[in-house]
Structure formats: C-alpha cells, structure tokens
Amino acid sequence: MFYVLRDIDLDIAAGDFVSVMGPSGAGKSTLLHILGMHDHGWTGEYFFDETAVHLLKAKERATLRNEQVGFVFQQYHLLDDLTVYENLDIPLSYRHYSKSERAALVADALDRFQIVGKKDLYPRQLSGGQQQLVGVARAIIASPKLLLADEPTGNLHSSQGEEIMELFRRLNEEGVTIVQVTHSEKNASYGKRIIQLRDGWIV
Amino acid sequence: MADLKYAFRMLVKAPAFASIAILTLALGIGANTAIFSLIHDLFLRGLPFKDSSRIVRIYGEAKERDLKQLPFSVPKFWHYRDGQTVFSSIAADWGNGYILTGLGEPAQVLGENVTANYFDLLGIHPILGRNFLQQEEMRDDVGLVTENFWRKRLGSDPGVIGRSIALNGVATTIIGVLPDLPISWFGRDTEIFIVKPFENANATRDRLMRGYSFMRCIGRLKPGITMQQAQSTMPALEQSYRAQHPETADCTWTSVLVSATEDVTGDLRPAFVTLLIAVGAVLMIACSNVANLLLVRFSGRRREIALRMALGANRRNVVRLFVLESASVSVIAGIIGLCLALWIVDLVPKIAGDNVPLEGGIRLHWAVLVFTLLLSLLTGLAMGCYPAWQSSRADLIEGLKESNRTMSASRGQHRFRRGLVSAQVALSMVLLAAAAMLASSFVRLSNQETGFRSDHVWAAGIGLPAGRYPDPASRARFAQRLVEEVQASPGVEVAATVDAVPLSGNYSQTPYARTDGNPLPVNQRPLGLTRSISPGYFRALRIPLLAGREFTERDGADGPLVVILSSSTAKRLFPNENPLGKQLLFGVDNGNGLVAEVVGVVGDVRSRELAKTNDVEFYRPWPQRSVSFFNVIVRTSMNPEAAAPMVRAALDRIDKEMPILQPNTLDTIVAQSLGQRRLTMGLLGAFAGVALLLAVVGIYGAVAYTVEQRTAEIGVRMALGAQVKDVLRLVVRQGMDPVLIGLGFGLVAIFGTGRFLTAQLYQISPHNPMLLALTATGLAIAALLACLIPARRATSIDPIQALRSE
C-alpha cells in the first residue's frame, strides 16, 4: 500500500494564513485537494467549522465546498473560451444566485480588482499576472471562508507574484482563511505559519 | 442561456468539427424529413375531405376467381343505395372523357360522371356556384368544373355560373366551380363533372342492367358506426341483391369496405415502410458518427470539465453543457436538413412519374416542421448524452493536473467507439444489400421481355362523342378511316387502334367460358383481360402470330364473332388441343354471353404489369367490341413523336373537332409503368450511398483517432524494430475488427428483415448469396481503404518525435 499522506493532524483556525511547503511529491497538493474536498480517497476525520466532512455524502460535500471554499491554481485555469466577465460569473452560475445578484457580484469583483476595462477580453489576451488576478477574483467572488491556492505565483515573474501575495494578505486581513502551497520562502513568509511536508508526513 | 451561448461559441471555434457534424446529421435528418413529409402527404394527412376517416370505398370481390377491387354495376348500386342502413349517404362516380368545343381549339378533357350527392358526401363545396341537386341527376345537362379549368379555359370568368360549354356536342350549363381536387382520389387532370352516372356510351341499357360493372362506389359511415359494423351488414345486402337480380354478372360478388385513405395508398405502403427503415438507418449511422466525434471532442476537454467541477459544477451541469452543444449541432443540422428535404420532396414526383399520387410543388406542413424539430432535438440528446456522461466522469484532480495534454481514452470509450463502428457497418450492410437487390430487380424488370416492341411506336387517345358516333358501326368506320389516313402518311410503317395501350394502367376484363361442356352461369365465370384491336395491331407492336390468322377488315361488326388468344390463354383453356376453330362465350349479352370463334394465337404480352405474366388475355376485333374511347398506335421508321402531326392532320381530314389525348411514345409508357419502383430504388440507392459514405467516414475517424492515441506506442514499436508492414497490420487489424463484426451482424439482420423487401423484388431473393457476398466485399474494401489512410500515416511516425511528445 502506498500512502501519499500519513498521520496528518492539523488545525487551521478561522482567519489563519498557512503556507504548506515541501519538496515535489511530498503531498502538498494532495493535502490541498483534501482540504478543498476534491479528494475523498482518505480515512480519518476532517471537521470544517463544526461540520464533520468525513461523514458527508458526496453531494453534501460538494455543497459545502461550493459555499465555503475558493481555489486559485498555478496555471490560472481560466476557461479559454469565456471572457473575463464570464469566467467570473462561472462559479456563481453553479450556485443559487439570481441573475441580478450575479451581475452585481461580478461588477463588484471587476471593480475591486480593477479589471473593469478587461471584462470583455479573453484569457489569451491577458498577461500571466492579469490572468492570475482574474483567477483570484474568481476564487473569492462567492465569498468563501477558505481560499486554497496551489502555487499561485508559480507561473508569474516576481513583481506579478508580489502583487498576488499582497492581494492574499489583504484578503486574509479581511477575514478570509488562506492555505497556500508554495516552494517560495518569500511567498511563505506572507503567511502566519508554515507547515513542512516530507514524504507525506508533517515535519 | 449562458451555456447555450457558450455552446455556439465552441462550435464556431471548431469549424471543421462543426461542419462535418452538421453536414453528417443534416443528411440523416434531411432524408428522414423528406420521407416523413411524403408519408405525411400520402398516409397521415388524410384526404382533404370533410371527416375523411368516415369515408369508405365499397368494392366487389370474387375470391374464388381471384377477382378483387371490382366496380359496381348500376342495379347493384341502386340496390345498395336503397337497402343499406350504415351509411349516411352512398354515391358513385366513373371516369369519362369529354370533347370540349366552343372554347378555342377542340380539346379532350377528363372528368367524371357522378351521382348528384357525390360532392356533398365528400364534403367538397364549390368556390363559386353550388353542388348538383338531386332532381338534376340523369335529367339536366349541368356540370361542375375545377378551379384550374375555370382559370385556364374560362379566363377566371366571374360570370361563369350559368355559362354553357359544349361537352361531346351537348350544351352543358356550368353550375359551380370546385376547388382543385386531390389527384390521389380523382387522378391527374380531372376537370369536369356531369350528373349522368347511370348511362355509359360503351354499354346498352340491357348490358347495364345485366351487371356491367363500371362505377366506383363510396359511402360515408353514419356517426357511431365503425367500419367493422358496416362490413358486417354487407352479407345481407349481397343476399338480397342476389335474390332480386339473379341474372346479373355481379350478383355473386361479395362486398368489401376499404377506408378512403387506404384505398389511395395501399400499394405504396410496403415501399414507404422500406424507405422509412432505410432513412432511420441512415440517421442512426449519422448519429453514431457524430457521437463518435463528440466523444473525442468532449474527452479532449477534461481540463475544462475538471475546472468547472472545481468551481462548483456538478455532473448534471457538465452533461447539460455538452448536451446543449450536441443539440445545437443537431438543430442547425435540422434546419439544413429541412432545406435538403424540401429539395428531395420536390424531386420525388418527377422521379415517380404518374404512378405515385403526389401533388407537385414544395409544401411545408407544420407537422413536418414539428417532426424535424423533434427529430433534431432527439438526435442531439441521443448522440450527446453518452459522450457527455462519459466525459463528465473525468477525474477532477487528474483533469486539473492535465493542463492541455491529451489523455488516452478509457477502455469503456474504446469499446463504445468500436461498437459504433460495428453498428454503422451493420446498418450500411443492410441498406447497401437492400439497394443492390432493388437495383438488380429494377434492371431485371427493365430488361424483362414485354412480348412487344415499344421502340418507334407512338400512341394517343381519342374519345368519340356518343352524339356523333352512337353505335359500333359509326365508331368502326371512324377508326378504320383514321388508320387508313395515318397509314398513308410518309414514314408510317403500321397504324392500328386498341382500346387500352399495354402497361398504361388501363385495361378491361370480360367474363368468358368454353362453350363445350356445361358453361358456368355468367356471374360465376372468370374474367379475362380483353383488348379490342384493329388489324395491324400485332404488326405495330411486333407481337408474333403463333397460329391461325390476324384480324382482317372482314371481321366487322356484322361478321361472325372471332377472338385471338395469347399463347398462355390457349394452353390454359385448351390444353393439349388445337384452339383454332374452338368457341368461347364472352360478356354478359343475352344473359349467357356471345359466342366467338378462336381464329389465332399470338405471343404472350406483359400488358398489365411488367412483373406479372397474364394468365388469360383475349383480343377481339375493334368493330365487334368497340367503346367510345380508343388509342391510335403508330409504328414509324423515324422519331416516333413525328407521328403526332400526321395523326392530327388525319383527324382534321375526318373530324376537325376531334382532339388528341395524352400523346406519348410507347417507350415512355413502358418506362412510366416502373415509376414507383424507380422511386423506391432511386431513394433507397441514394440513402445507401449516404450510409456508405458516412460509415467510411466513421471508420476513418475511429482509426485515425486510434492512431493518434497510439502514436507513442507505435513510436516505441518502431524504435524496437517494427517494420512498415507490422505497423500497417497493427492498425488495419484494429480498424477492421469492428468492421468484420459489423458485417456479420449486418448479414444476420438481412436474414431477419428480408421479408420487408420480398414484395418489391423481382426474380431475386432477398438472401441472394451472390449479391450479399458482393455487397459485403465492397463494404469491406471501402472500410479497408478507410483504415489504410491513417495506417499509412502511422508508418510515417518518427519514433524519436513520438517518444518526445509523450
């Protein structure tokens, strides 16, 4: 039997900003996907607030995820054939928002991230930093309590990376709990604490 | 809405995929819409009569003599009209030709003699004037004309009511203008109706009252009475008619009710069932092709699926998105298919000739639109669901890691794709085999020896108005003079007359019996095809005289009655005897028929249908059995159509007011007799061609995709020493496996469905091993070629490049 993660005992408080570090294959992304309730091939207990995630059915888990968790990916993962506006609208379309609420939320996000002028552009028309900006905006548009970021600056040059990390700091100050996977010591320092993983173990 | 917008955007972004998928489906949907439109027109829409489902045709039948769909005689009609209790009314009509004079050139117009209540029964109301009144029946010279007649011949005269036209020299007052009538019921070019149903220039009153059957009888069922209930009352009417009219020729016949719709479409049903199955198969092949494309396309979008799910989408959202995409393809294809269908439907009457009762011109009924829309949506769902469902099963985390790299398909998807290829091949095999059988039948029929030579022969109808030609002698004089005049024209080899041209669909039958022994009563005698001909008819059609003599001018109305038999008739009636000099009883005159002596035997002719030999066929001299209508037949040494002006000139010398009706070459008449078969074969052949094309494209697509998926594997194999032939064998074997399975299933299906075709085949079995083998081989070769193209590409893979791309 091969284990990706073993004996993970981890408490993350609301409002925390945790950086997960470790070499490739240590299990960082797997941990992130378990926290984000994408991965359910594990045993043990996982409480999100007071909710016992390990006891939830798939559908309930999906609902909880949709309501509470946002994701930022290293490759941005914007949908190539949707405009910036439509990319921001996508997560809302899968939740119970009315059309007018969705329009208001997207307008807010565009305003807040100062990308109003780019709302009709497609991802390929944006720089990497701009795409990740949209990726972050999309991740928080539904006001998640937890923001998970998998090497969010991995594909950006340093100045763009700093902008994103500053953005994360501001979001954290506003109350969003953040867990990020990173290889960068500098980026990790934006967090309040660092968790090191080696071969599936927390060290 | 956003999903729909996205679906269209994705189609625009992939024009090659969208074009192939849309065109493929458009072919399938178009073929189905076309056939549905024809079926709707012929079978579903019903006749344009008031409550047409309650109208029935009443036929006579004598099963023991294999006689079906027999018309009514005057006494029988009267008996049924007065004695029945199940119809709110009962009416009759019979087709007639009239010479119209006084409106420019004399013209022959087709029409019907009808009972006064005929159009009231059908629920047809004139657009001008009124219908016939009961008191006008058999008394007044009044007529109804069609809208077409009114517009073309009367210049849309608003004062047409009360206007008089001369029909057969009789002043007839127009009392109404009918809307144009369905050709499926009235035939083409029927324009005039008069209210003299119970007189017929071809029969004396005595003959009429002896059961001379010529009227088509219809009834409208009373409310609440079913066809079965009405049918159950027929035996009582038959018995009372038999008791009151024991001497009539038709008193032993039973009565059969047929719904009006079935009556006009009965012969067409098997052909359209075949075509419906064929287009269904084409659509299934098209769907499976597009499903295959969609599966590949959706599988290539796993990253997008994973991302959407990471952002909150559930499987239902993903499936809906993809099904919307496939539905968009099918709806666009439906619109194109509808245009294609309109084109096909417009073409069909031209292919079918006069043998399929279809109105000309493009028509689009709401039912056809609804059918196309539903079919398109259903198609979109059917072909989109599985690929969408399969693709939505993508592993989310793997999908996110995947970036834009293509991933290999699952085993389930491989199996599905191979299954689709097998199904396509099986369906194509069935269609191609059916098309091959029909084509082979058609060729055999086209080459069928008719027993006569149709080349260089021209024919046209001539109606003799009863006023000017009231008796056999005057009719005989006219015909003889016409033949002599035409015969004398330059380039004419032989001129002759006949009451009905072979294979024209017109024929008459007469009761007959041998005089020796105890002849059966007239009403129990079999009916035999009988043609009235002039001397020269056999020479004009090159029908060989096998024994005895042809008719001569001496076989006149006053001479001894004579008859010539076809070879089969002679063998049947006089087995092992010399028929010459023998005597036969014909007709119903005198209550026992008239005695005629056999003077000759000629070769058999396929005169009713090319596909059927006639058991019995008699030829009688025209002067001894003349009617008011005949055809002049001219064999020329030049272009047969050159006979037309000669006949016109000859008529002008004899009777200027005599129009020529339905002139045509005999070659055309013979070709038109195959109209329905030509239509079925043409459509099925086209559909089979489309099926083959789609199947080959499908096979190519599946193999090409497999090669793409296995590029790295093939690269490794080549790096390890595989030769070109090894790679070819690998790819072709993988491509041909499902093809061979499909061929096997196709053969099994042909054995299961062959019976649908049997009725439409001629001298060939639906399981003909040679044709099946040829079809299977042809399909296998086409499939092999489809495999070879991607297989050749596979052999040009650069191992290093392939391994690097992995």
Side-chain angles (χ1 to χ4, degrees), chain A residues 29-41:
Chain A
S29 294
T30 303
L31 177 61
L32 211 61
H33 282 298
I34 290 171
L35 293 176
M37 294 172 247
H38 287 152
D39 193 334
H40 42 88

Side-chain angles (χ1 to χ4, degrees), chain B residues 313-335:
Chain B
N314 53 32
R315 279 186 80 176
R316 198 160 46 91
N317 297 132
V318 174
V319 169
R320 188 185 62 193
L321 179 76
F322 285 169
V323 168
L324 267 178
E325 209 168 307
S326 68
S328 307
V329 169
S330 64
V331 168
I332 297 170
I335 294 167

Side-chain angles (χ1 to χ4, degrees), chain B residues 134-148:
Chain B
Q134 193 57 47
Q135 60 267 30
E136 290 170 332
E137 189 171 282
M138 293 306 291
R139 202 187 70 186
D140 296 343
D141 292 315
V142 290
L144 291 165
V145 298
T146 62
E147 186 178 354
N148 186 52

Side-chain angles (χ1 to χ4, degrees), chain A residues 33 38-39 65-66 71 73 75 77-83 86 89-91 94-95 102 122 138, chain B residues 2 5-6 9-10 13 303-304 307-314 317 396-397 399-401 403-404:
Chain A
H33 282 298
H38 287 152
D39 193 334
R65 184 182 68 214
N66 280 357
F71 280 89
F73 306 99
Q75 294 92 350
H77 281 325
L78 300 179
L79 286 167
D80 299 338
D81 298 295
L82 296 181
T83 61
E86 289 165 337
D89 184 53
I90 274 277
Y94 296 134
R95 290 161 173 82
R102 280 161 54 184
Y122 287 92
R138 183 181 64 184
Chain B
K5 207 164 100 182
Y6 182 72
R9 198 181 293 166
M10 293 306 285
K13 196 188 163 197
R303 174 182 157 266
E304 178 193 334
L307 186 57
R308 281 178 181 274
M309 293 180 96
L311 294 172
N314 53 32
N317 297 132
L396 190 150
I397 296 167
L400 288 174
K401 281 182 190 166
S403 186
N404 288 321

